[in-house]
PDB file of all heavy atoms in Angstrom:
ATOM      1  N   ARG A 343      24.077   4.117  -5.212  1.00 97.00           N
ATOM      2  CA  ARG A 343      24.370   5.250  -6.097  1.00 97.00           C
ATOM      3  C   ARG A 343      23.099   5.983  -6.499  1.00 97.00           C
ATOM      4  O   ARG A 343      23.157   6.962  -7.224  1.00 97.00           O
ATOM      5  CB  ARG A 343      25.133   4.759  -7.319  1.00 97.00           C
ATOM      6  CG  ARG A 343      26.515   4.170  -6.942  1.00 97.00           C
ATOM      7  CD  ARG A 343      27.356   3.908  -8.179  1.00 97.00           C
ATOM      8  NE  ARG A 343      26.658   3.004  -9.079  1.00 97.00           N
ATOM      9  CZ  ARG A 343      26.690   3.104 -10.414  1.00 97.00           C
ATOM     10  NH1 ARG A 343      27.363   4.073 -10.990  1.00 97.00           N
ATOM     11  NH2 ARG A 343      26.038   2.241 -11.170  1.00 97.00           N
ATOM     12  N   MET A 344      21.964   5.501  -6.068  1.00 98.00           N
ATOM     13  CA  MET A 344      20.692   6.178  -6.372  1.00 98.00           C
ATOM     14  C   MET A 344      20.548   7.377  -5.430  1.00 98.00           C
ATOM     15  O   MET A 344      20.317   7.222  -4.231  1.00 98.00           O
ATOM     16  CB  MET A 344      19.511   5.224  -6.168  1.00 98.00           C
ATOM     17  CG  MET A 344      19.539   4.009  -7.088  1.00 98.00           C
ATOM     18  SD  MET A 344      18.211   2.838  -6.686  1.00 98.00           S
ATOM     19  CE  MET A 344      16.752   3.752  -7.190  1.00 98.00           C
ATOM     20  N   THR A 345      20.689   8.567  -5.961  1.00 98.00           N
ATOM     21  CA  THR A 345      20.697   9.759  -5.103  1.00 98.00           C
ATOM     22  C   THR A 345      19.413   9.885  -4.276  1.00 98.00           C
ATOM     23  O   THR A 345      19.464  10.206  -3.079  1.00 98.00           O
ATOM     24  CB  THR A 345      20.878  11.027  -5.955  1.00 98.00           C
ATOM     25  OG1 THR A 345      22.151  10.944  -6.585  1.00 98.00           O
ATOM     26  CG2 THR A 345      20.834  12.286  -5.120  1.00 98.00           C
ATOM     27  N   CYS A 346      18.271   9.639  -4.882  1.00 98.00           N
ATOM     28  CA  CYS A 346      17.000   9.836  -4.157  1.00 98.00           C
ATOM     29  C   CYS A 346      16.953   8.961  -2.902  1.00 98.00           C
ATOM     30  O   CYS A 346      16.582   9.434  -1.816  1.00 98.00           O
ATOM     31  CB  CYS A 346      15.811   9.551  -5.066  1.00 98.00           C
ATOM     32  SG  CYS A 346      15.871   7.951  -5.896  1.00 98.00           S
ATOM     33  N   LEU A 347      17.334   7.699  -3.036  1.00 98.00           N
ATOM     34  CA  LEU A 347      17.305   6.804  -1.876  1.00 98.00           C
ATOM     35  C   LEU A 347      18.433   7.121  -0.900  1.00 98.00           C
ATOM     36  O   LEU A 347      18.224   7.143   0.317  1.00 98.00           O
ATOM     37  CB  LEU A 347      17.420   5.351  -2.338  1.00 98.00           C
ATOM     38  CG  LEU A 347      16.126   4.707  -2.841  1.00 98.00           C
ATOM     39  CD1 LEU A 347      16.422   3.346  -3.459  1.00 98.00           C
ATOM     40  CD2 LEU A 347      15.124   4.545  -1.705  1.00 98.00           C
ATOM     41  N   VAL A 368       9.594   7.918  -2.734  1.00 98.00           N
ATOM     42  CA  VAL A 368      10.976   7.447  -2.903  1.00 98.00           C
ATOM     43  C   VAL A 368      11.122   6.099  -2.200  1.00 98.00           C
ATOM     44  O   VAL A 368      11.267   5.058  -2.840  1.00 98.00           O
ATOM     45  CB  VAL A 368      12.006   8.476  -2.366  1.00 98.00           C
ATOM     46  CG1 VAL A 368      13.416   7.907  -2.439  1.00 98.00           C
ATOM     47  CG2 VAL A 368      11.926   9.776  -3.163  1.00 98.00           C
ATOM     48  N   SER A 423       7.629   6.000 -11.935  1.00 97.00           N
ATOM     49  CA  SER A 423       8.981   5.848 -12.480  1.00 97.00           C
ATOM     50  C   SER A 423       9.835   7.024 -11.978  1.00 97.00           C
ATOM     51  O   SER A 423       9.357   7.886 -11.230  1.00 97.00           O
ATOM     52  CB  SER A 423       8.927   5.857 -14.008  1.00 97.00           C
ATOM     53  OG  SER A 423       8.523   7.149 -14.435  1.00 97.00           O
ATOM     54  N   GLY A 424      11.081   7.065 -12.453  1.00 98.00           N
ATOM     55  CA  GLY A 424      11.967   8.161 -12.070  1.00 98.00           C
ATOM     56  C   GLY A 424      11.468   9.525 -12.543  1.00 98.00           C
ATOM     57  O   GLY A 424      11.859  10.550 -11.992  1.00 98.00           O
ATOM     58  N   LYS A 425      10.599   9.523 -13.536  1.00 97.00           N
ATOM     59  CA  LYS A 425      10.087  10.792 -14.085  1.00 97.00           C
ATOM     60  C   LYS A 425       9.419  11.625 -12.986  1.00 97.00           C
ATOM     61  O   LYS A 425       9.580  12.845 -12.935  1.00 97.00           O
ATOM     62  CB  LYS A 425       9.062  10.456 -15.169  1.00 97.00           C
ATOM     63  CG  LYS A 425       8.797  11.529 -16.145  1.00 97.00           C
ATOM     64  CD  LYS A 425       7.999  10.915 -17.296  1.00 97.00           C
ATOM     65  CE  LYS A 425       7.394  12.004 -18.147  1.00 97.00           C
ATOM     66  NZ  LYS A 425       6.507  11.446 -19.149  1.00 97.00           N
ATOM     67  N   ILE A 427      10.031  11.550  -9.749  1.00 97.00           N
ATOM     68  CA  ILE A 427      11.045  12.054  -8.800  1.00 97.00           C
ATOM     69  C   ILE A 427      11.824  13.203  -9.450  1.00 97.00           C
ATOM     70  O   ILE A 427      12.137  14.206  -8.798  1.00 97.00           O
ATOM     71  CB  ILE A 427      11.965  10.902  -8.349  1.00 97.00           C
ATOM     72  CG1 ILE A 427      11.127   9.904  -7.531  1.00 97.00           C
ATOM     73  CG2 ILE A 427      13.150  11.419  -7.528  1.00 97.00           C
ATOM     74  CD1 ILE A 427      11.834   8.618  -7.199  1.00 97.00           C
ATOM     75  N   ASP A 428      12.077  13.077 -10.752  1.00 97.00           N
ATOM     76  CA  ASP A 428      12.789  14.137 -11.460  1.00 97.00           C
ATOM     77  C   ASP A 428      11.958  15.425 -11.486  1.00 97.00           C
ATOM     78  O   ASP A 428      12.494  16.528 -11.349  1.00 97.00           O
ATOM     79  CB  ASP A 428      13.094  13.673 -12.895  1.00 97.00           C
ATOM     80  CG  ASP A 428      14.107  14.582 -13.575  1.00 97.00           C
ATOM     81  OD1 ASP A 428      14.952  15.163 -12.864  1.00 97.00           O
ATOM     82  OD2 ASP A 428      14.043  14.712 -14.803  1.00 97.00           O
ATOM     83  N   SER A 431      11.878  16.931  -7.667  1.00 96.00           N
ATOM     84  CA  SER A 431      13.102  17.103  -6.863  1.00 96.00           C
ATOM     85  C   SER A 431      14.265  17.543  -7.749  1.00 96.00           C
ATOM     86  O   SER A 431      14.146  17.583  -8.980  1.00 96.00           O
ATOM     87  CB  SER A 431      13.481  15.774  -6.200  1.00 96.00           C
ATOM     88  OG  SER A 431      14.113  14.914  -7.147  1.00 96.00           O
ATOM     89  N   ASN A 432      15.403  17.813  -7.115  1.00 95.00           N
ATOM     90  CA  ASN A 432      16.630  18.017  -7.892  1.00 95.00           C
ATOM     91  C   ASN A 432      17.597  16.853  -7.656  1.00 95.00           C
ATOM     92  O   ASN A 432      18.787  16.976  -7.896  1.00 95.00           O
ATOM     93  CB  ASN A 432      17.280  19.364  -7.551  1.00 95.00           C
ATOM     94  CG  ASN A 432      17.645  19.472  -6.070  1.00 95.00           C
ATOM     95  OD1 ASN A 432      17.441  18.528  -5.301  1.00 95.00           O
ATOM     96  ND2 ASN A 432      18.190  20.604  -5.673  1.00 95.00           N
ATOM     97  N   TYR A 433      17.068  15.723  -7.172  1.00 97.00           N
ATOM     98  CA  TYR A 433      17.924  14.559  -6.909  1.00 97.00           C
ATOM     99  C   TYR A 433      18.596  14.026  -8.181  1.00 97.00           C
ATOM    100  O   TYR A 433      19.777  13.646  -8.174  1.00 97.00           O
ATOM    101  CB  TYR A 433      17.104  13.414  -6.317  1.00 97.00           C
ATOM    102  CG  TYR A 433      16.635  13.598  -4.886  1.00 97.00           C
ATOM    103  CD1 TYR A 433      15.413  13.063  -4.484  1.00 97.00           C
ATOM    104  CD2 TYR A 433      17.418  14.251  -3.953  1.00 97.00           C
ATOM    105  CE1 TYR A 433      14.966  13.192  -3.177  1.00 97.00           C
ATOM    106  CE2 TYR A 433      16.982  14.391  -2.641  1.00 97.00           C
ATOM    107  CZ  TYR A 433      15.753  13.864  -2.259  1.00 97.00           C
ATOM    108  OH  TYR A 433      15.321  13.990  -0.972  1.00 97.00           O
ATOM    109  N   CYS A 434      17.827  13.965  -9.269  1.00 97.00           N
ATOM    110  CA  CYS A 434      18.334  13.268 -10.462  1.00 97.00           C
ATOM    111  C   CYS A 434      19.549  13.971 -11.064  1.00 97.00           C
ATOM    112  O   CYS A 434      20.387  13.326 -11.704  1.00 97.00           O
ATOM    113  CB  CYS A 434      17.227  13.115 -11.498  1.00 97.00           C
ATOM    114  SG  CYS A 434      15.800  12.229 -10.840  1.00 97.00           S
ATOM    115  N   ALA A 435      19.620  15.297 -10.840  1.00 96.00           N
ATOM    116  CA  ALA A 435      20.729  16.057 -11.432  1.00 96.00           C
ATOM    117  C   ALA A 435      22.078  15.567 -10.918  1.00 96.00           C
ATOM    118  O   ALA A 435      23.082  15.640 -11.633  1.00 96.00           O
ATOM    119  CB  ALA A 435      20.554  17.542 -11.121  1.00 96.00           C
ATOM    120  N   SER A 436      22.123  15.069  -9.688  1.00 95.00           N
ATOM    121  CA  SER A 436      23.419  14.635  -9.141  1.00 95.00           C
ATOM    122  C   SER A 436      23.518  13.107  -9.069  1.00 95.00           C
ATOM    123  O   SER A 436      24.379  12.574  -8.389  1.00 95.00           O
ATOM    124  CB  SER A 436      23.613  15.224  -7.737  1.00 95.00           C
ATOM    125  OG  SER A 436      22.668  14.654  -6.852  1.00 95.00           O
ATOM    126  N   CYS A 437      22.629  12.411  -9.753  1.00 98.00           N
ATOM    127  CA  CYS A 437      22.598  10.950  -9.623  1.00 98.00           C
ATOM    128  C   CYS A 437      23.523  10.278 -10.636  1.00 98.00           C
ATOM    129  O   CYS A 437      23.714  10.772 -11.748  1.00 98.00           O
ATOM    130  CB  CYS A 437      21.162  10.459  -9.839  1.00 98.00           C
ATOM    131  SG  CYS A 437      20.970   8.695  -9.508  1.00 98.00           S
ATOM    132  N   ALA A 438      24.046   9.137 -10.247  1.00 97.00           N
ATOM    133  CA  ALA A 438      24.910   8.366 -11.153  1.00 97.00           C
ATOM    134  C   ALA A 438      24.084   7.743 -12.276  1.00 97.00           C
ATOM    135  O   ALA A 438      24.642   7.361 -13.310  1.00 97.00           O
ATOM    136  CB  ALA A 438      25.623   7.274 -10.364  1.00 97.00           C
ATOM    137  N   TYR A 439      22.782   7.624 -12.080  1.00 98.00           N
ATOM    138  CA  TYR A 439      21.923   6.990 -13.086  1.00 98.00           C
ATOM    139  C   TYR A 439      21.243   8.050 -13.947  1.00 98.00           C
ATOM    140  O   TYR A 439      21.078   9.204 -13.534  1.00 98.00           O
ATOM    141  CB  TYR A 439      20.877   6.119 -12.400  1.00 98.00           C
ATOM    142  CG  TYR A 439      21.488   4.925 -11.690  1.00 98.00           C
ATOM    143  CD1 TYR A 439      21.632   4.913 -10.298  1.00 98.00           C
ATOM    144  CD2 TYR A 439      21.933   3.833 -12.414  1.00 98.00           C
ATOM    145  CE1 TYR A 439      22.202   3.830  -9.651  1.00 98.00           C
ATOM    146  CE2 TYR A 439      22.514   2.739 -11.776  1.00 98.00           C
ATOM    147  CZ  TYR A 439      22.644   2.739 -10.399  1.00 98.00           C
ATOM    148  OH  TYR A 439      23.213   1.673  -9.759  1.00 98.00           O
ATOM    149  N   ASP A 440      20.828   7.592 -15.133  1.00 98.00           N
ATOM    150  CA  ASP A 440      20.211   8.496 -16.106  1.00 98.00           C
ATOM    151  C   ASP A 440      18.695   8.357 -16.044  1.00 98.00           C
ATOM    152  O   ASP A 440      18.140   7.329 -16.453  1.00 98.00           O
ATOM    153  CB  ASP A 440      20.735   8.134 -17.506  1.00 98.00           C
ATOM    154  CG  ASP A 440      20.132   9.016 -18.585  1.00 98.00           C
ATOM    155  OD1 ASP A 440      19.343   9.924 -18.242  1.00 98.00           O
ATOM    156  OD2 ASP A 440      20.456   8.779 -19.764  1.00 98.00           O
ATOM    157  N   VAL A 441      18.042   9.389 -15.547  1.00 98.00           N
ATOM    158  CA  VAL A 441      16.595   9.306 -15.350  1.00 98.00           C
ATOM    159  C   VAL A 441      15.839   9.251 -16.684  1.00 98.00           C
ATOM    160  O   VAL A 441      14.706   8.776 -16.741  1.00 98.00           O
ATOM    161  CB  VAL A 441      16.099  10.484 -14.470  1.00 98.00           C
ATOM    162  CG1 VAL A 441      16.103  11.802 -15.240  1.00 98.00           C
ATOM    163  CG2 VAL A 441      14.721  10.191 -13.902  1.00 98.00           C
ATOM    164  N   LYS A 442      16.489   9.683 -17.749  1.00 97.00           N
ATOM    165  CA  LYS A 442      15.797   9.691 -19.057  1.00 97.00           C
ATOM    166  C   LYS A 442      15.866   8.315 -19.727  1.00 97.00           C
ATOM    167  O   LYS A 442      15.191   8.062 -20.718  1.00 97.00           O
ATOM    168  CB  LYS A 442      16.436  10.741 -19.968  1.00 97.00           C
ATOM    169  CG  LYS A 442      16.403  12.158 -19.411  1.00 97.00           C
ATOM    170  CD  LYS A 442      15.465  13.025 -20.194  1.00 97.00           C
ATOM    171  CE  LYS A 442      15.339  14.452 -19.746  1.00 97.00           C
ATOM    172  NZ  LYS A 442      15.239  14.733 -18.344  1.00 97.00           N
ATOM    173  N   SER A 449      20.649   3.165 -16.842  1.00 98.00           N
ATOM    174  CA  SER A 449      19.303   3.766 -16.724  1.00 98.00           C
ATOM    175  C   SER A 449      18.861   3.814 -15.270  1.00 98.00           C
ATOM    176  O   SER A 449      19.265   2.990 -14.441  1.00 98.00           O
ATOM    177  CB  SER A 449      18.299   2.953 -17.544  1.00 98.00           C
ATOM    178  OG  SER A 449      18.253   1.627 -17.067  1.00 98.00           O
ATOM    179  N   CYS A 450      17.996   4.769 -14.995  1.00 98.00           N
ATOM    180  CA  CYS A 450      17.444   4.924 -13.641  1.00 98.00           C
ATOM    181  C   CYS A 450      16.727   3.631 -13.222  1.00 98.00           C
ATOM    182  O   CYS A 450      15.804   3.179 -13.910  1.00 98.00           O
ATOM    183  CB  CYS A 450      16.463   6.098 -13.637  1.00 98.00           C
ATOM    184  SG  CYS A 450      15.418   6.129 -12.184  1.00 98.00           S
ATOM    185  N   PRO A 451      17.123   3.025 -12.102  1.00 98.00           N
ATOM    186  CA  PRO A 451      16.491   1.775 -11.680  1.00 98.00           C
ATOM    187  C   PRO A 451      14.983   1.886 -11.481  1.00 98.00           C
ATOM    188  O   PRO A 451      14.243   0.925 -11.681  1.00 98.00           O
ATOM    189  CB  PRO A 451      17.200   1.455 -10.355  1.00 98.00           C
ATOM    190  CG  PRO A 451      18.520   2.125 -10.468  1.00 98.00           C
ATOM    191  CD  PRO A 451      18.262   3.386 -11.238  1.00 98.00           C
ATOM    192  N   MET A 452      14.518   3.082 -11.075  1.00 98.00           N
ATOM    193  CA  MET A 452      13.080   3.257 -10.854  1.00 98.00           C
ATOM    194  C   MET A 452      12.291   2.993 -12.152  1.00 98.00           C
ATOM    195  O   MET A 452      11.159   2.539 -12.105  1.00 98.00           O
ATOM    196  CB  MET A 452      12.772   4.689 -10.387  1.00 98.00           C
ATOM    197  CG  MET A 452      13.346   5.057  -9.042  1.00 98.00           C
ATOM    198  SD  MET A 452      12.327   4.405  -7.717  1.00 98.00           S
ATOM    199  CE  MET A 452      12.975   5.322  -6.320  1.00 98.00           C
ATOM    200  N   ASN A 453      12.910   3.310 -13.304  1.00 98.00           N
ATOM    201  CA  ASN A 453      12.189   3.220 -14.574  1.00 98.00           C
ATOM    202  C   ASN A 453      11.877   1.777 -14.955  1.00 98.00           C
ATOM    203  O   ASN A 453      10.727   1.413 -15.192  1.00 98.00           O
ATOM    204  CB  ASN A 453      13.005   3.893 -15.687  1.00 98.00           C
ATOM    205  CG  ASN A 453      13.072   5.400 -15.501  1.00 98.00           C
ATOM    206  OD1 ASN A 453      12.250   5.966 -14.783  1.00 98.00           O
ATOM    207  ND2 ASN A 453      14.049   6.043 -16.120  1.00 98.00           N
TER     208      ASN A 453
HETATM  209 FE1  LIG B 601      16.436   8.374  -8.189  1.00 76.93          FE
HETATM  210 FE2  LIG B 601      16.494   7.600 -10.748  1.00 76.93          FE
HETATM  211 FE3  LIG B 601      16.567  10.173 -10.152  1.00 76.93          FE
HETATM  212 FE4  LIG B 601      18.663   8.636  -9.613  1.00 76.93          FE
HETATM  213  S1  LIG B 601      17.866   9.100 -11.632  1.00 76.93           S
HETATM  214  S2  LIG B 601      17.778  10.177  -8.272  1.00 76.93           S
HETATM  215  S3  LIG B 601      17.674   6.719  -9.049  1.00 76.93           S
HETATM  216  S4  LIG B 601      14.897   8.768  -9.732  1.00 76.93           S
END
Side-chain angles (χ1 to χ4, degrees):
R343 296 190 302 143
M344 298 174 69
T345 297
C346 52
L347 279 172
V368 175
S423 67
K425 201 168 166 187
I427 294 171
D428 193 29
S431 78
N432 59 2
Y433 288 147
C434 303
S436 67
C437 187
Y439 294 103
D440 179 2
V441 73
K442 301 249 180 317
S449 60
C450 165
M452 295 280 194
N453 291 341

